[in-house]
Each structure stands twice: as structure tokens, then as C-alpha cells.
Amino acid sequence: MTTIGCIIAPYGNPPSRFVPFARTAEAAGLDEVWLWEDCFLESGPSAAAAMLGATERLRVGIGVMPLPLRNAALTAMETSTIDGMFPGRFLPGVGHGVQDWMGQVGAKAASPLTLMREQVTALRALLAGERITTSGRYVTLDGVALDWPPAAAPPVLAAAKGPKTMRLVGEVADGVVLDGDAGLSGVRQAIGLLDEGRETAGLPPVAESGPGSEHPFRVVAFLHAATGKDAPERLRRNFARWGVDAADDETLANHASWGGAGALADGLRRFAALGVSSLVAQPTLDEPDLDGFATFLGEEVAPLLR
């Protein structure tokens, strides 16, 4: 079953907005809310824990925590603590981080791929309750084990864009987070690259790795979405901010969904058909009514997709 979620971006939303938004999203019937740990805005784990504590069934994902900022043991401790309080409702995601930001804090990695391989491998092992001793380029652990590992380890998701990272995520992670710039063609290409990585690791392809399989793999896709008369114009302005030229209708349709409930559901359905397991609507940064958008998405769009 494809899950439906919504993003609350840190831009323009102070920490005081996160808990009320989570309550709104849950009341509307959404499955998930996703947040970003962008420098130098809100912390991912602390915001996620507060949102989970304020709701009863909503899942909260972080897309994503920058690996260069984090020690693998600390990320494992935070993840297991949150999962222990709210079992099965926390979706931790990690990624390379924006390299300029990593440079600002003196954490830029010379080899982001090596860092991801070492940290994701260690994080998954620790969350599985293993005791780890390893000495790598970036991760050094000496007999480290969690005292309170999760009863069922949450999936460790990883963000990817380039082909090398995409293959690596397919090889070492439990799922991928695809940002809103990927579009339909990007999602299609990503799944092919993920399958190459999974083949390297001796794992089945993404299409055979749904919930309940022996090696489940989650595909999370952020999808630009808007409703209202000015939706196309707002989407184009939003893409311009991210450096994507969506002036023509074909490009816009490849990257976004807009319109009433039926039109938005049809747009999201195209992504689900490619193998996306978590459809996460990304409102425009100038969305005039974020709570209203989440309510519309949960009460009017999501039922059409279920």
C-alpha cells in the first residue's frame, strides 16, 4: 500500500509550528509528515520526537539528517530512543548534506560515498542490536552496542541524486529518499540504479521488495504539489528557487501535481505506478495555508489514492 504524507519545510516555519502541524495532519488522515534537517534551522530528531509525542498514529520522517554532522553511534542512540518511545512511527533518513553547509561547520567529507557506506552500515547494525567493532576512514567503533535497541529496527533511509550514490543506497540502505526535483523521469532512472546496487549486494530488485518481503525496500518520493487558481504560477516560482526551469507545461507536469483533488490524485498516482511506496507532497514555500493544504491532502486527495 502506498502511504501519503506531507512536508513541513523549515523555511518560514519556526519550531512552534511543527507540533500543531503534526496534529492537523493526523486529524486529516495523513499517514506521514516529513521534515528537513537543513542548516541552520531546526534539528531533525528533536522536532520528530515532539511531533510523535503530540500524535497517536502519525509516522514522522526526517529527509534527511546530514551524515557529516553526525557520529554513527549518536544517530543510533537518537533513533533507538525515539523508536523506543514511539515504536514503528519514526522514519530516519540520512544523506550527504549540502556540501557548502558542511564546509561552513568544518565537517565536509573528502569522500561522501565512503562516509555514507560506513555510517549507514554501522547504523543499521547497531539498530539491529549488534555489537560493533570497526575502524574505517570515518567510522571507528570499539565494542559499541545499544543498551536499548529497537524491538524491530526502523528502516534506515538514505537520500541520493547521483548515479554512484544511488547505487550505493540500493546496496546498503533500507530505502531511498528522492527529493522533489527528481520528477517522473528521475524516479524511473533512480529505481534502475537502485536495482543495480541491490544486485551487487545480492538483493532482489525494488519491485520485489515491498512490505512483507524478506528484504523490504522503501522508495520515498517528495513531489511538488499545489492547489488553487494560482497553483501553476506558484509551482514555477518554487522551481526557480531550486534552480529548475519549469517554464513549459511538459516540464512542470513531469515534476509536479496541481489542481483539485482528482487532478492532484492523478498526478500522484503516476509516481506510485513507478514503484514509489511513500508519496510525500511538498507544498510550495509560499503556500498561503499550510494547514489547509494538509487537510485538503488528507481528507480529499488521499482517499482517492487508497
Side-chain angles (χ1 to χ4, degrees):
M1 176 180 172
T2 301
T3 61
I4 312 299
C6 187
I7 290 171
I8 177 168
Y11 304 99
N13 291 304
S16 58
R17 285 282 293 115
F18 279 57
V19 164
F21 181 77
R23 289 175 174 148
T24 296
E26 180 169 75
L30 287 175
D31 301 307
E32 299 171 1
V33 164
W34 284 76
L35 53 97
W36 302 343
E37 188 174 68
D38 279 7
C39 299
F40 301 93
L41 294 149
E42 290 99 358
S43 157
S46 57
M51 295 163 80
L52 289 164
T55 55
E56 295 183 359
R57 59 159 192 84
L58 190 74
R59 288 186 295 274
V60 177
I62 303 177
V64 292
M65 297 177 278
L67 288 169
L69 283 177
R70 300 181 156 274
N71 181 283
L74 175 61
T75 305
M77 290 162 59
E78 290 176 321
T79 299
S80 63
T81 298
I82 295 173
D83 186 81
M85 293 186 290
F86 312 105
R89 295 174 55 205
F90 180 45
L91 301 171
V94 297
H96 292 319
V98 176
Q99 295 306 295
D100 287 347
W101 290 339
M102 299 303 99
Q104 277 185 273
V105 298
K108 190 173 182 178
S111 177
L113 284 170
T114 302
L115 173 64
M116 177 175 282
R117 179 181 292 277
E118 292 183 3
Q119 284 230 29
V120 170
T121 300
L123 180 57
R124 291 182 70 223
L126 289 168
L127 292 174
E130 299 178 24
R131 182 172 298 277
I132 305 299
T133 296
T134 184
S135 180
R137 183 173 181 179
Y138 296 104
V139 176
T140 298
L141 300 170
D142 183 8
V144 175
L146 296 172
D147 281 26
W148 300 100
V156 176
L157 313 174
K161 274 196 170 184
K164 291 182 180 179
T165 307
M166 201 70 71
R167 293 187 186 98
L168 178 61
V169 170
E171 182 182 348
V172 303
D174 298 309
V176 67
V177 178
L178 303 173
D179 70 22
D181 298 344
L184 286 165
S185 56
V187 171
R188 191 177 295 110
Q189 182 182 33
I191 290 177
L193 293 166
L194 291 163
D195 282 345
E196 290 178 19
R198 290 180 66 77
E199 183 178 9
T200 298
L203 298 169
V206 171
E208 299 175 13
S209 304
S213 64
E214 186 178 355
H215 301 284
F217 190 88
R218 183 187 294 254
V219 178
V220 179
F222 297 165
L223 316 171
H224 292 275
T227 189
K229 293 181 179 179
D230 63 343
E233 291 73 25
R234 285 195 288 113
L235 285 166
R236 288 190 170 95
R237 289 198 300 269
N238 208 61
F239 280 118
R241 175 178 177 133
W242 305 121
V244 177
D245 183 1
D248 64 278
D249 290 343
E250 184 178 352
T251 300
L252 190 64
N254 179 61
H255 285 81
S257 297
W258 67 93
L264 205 61
D266 287 343
L268 295 174
R269 197 175 286 115
R270 296 175 301 159
F271 287 83
L274 296 177
V276 173
S277 45
S278 289
L279 293 163
V280 187
Q282 180 174 329
T284 60
L285 296 182
D286 59 354
E287 167 59 54
D289 182 5
L290 186 59
D291 285 349
F293 179 79
T295 299
F296 166 73
L297 189 68
E299 294 183 352
E300 299 187 42
V301 179
L304 300 177
L305 292 163
R306 296 185 180 123

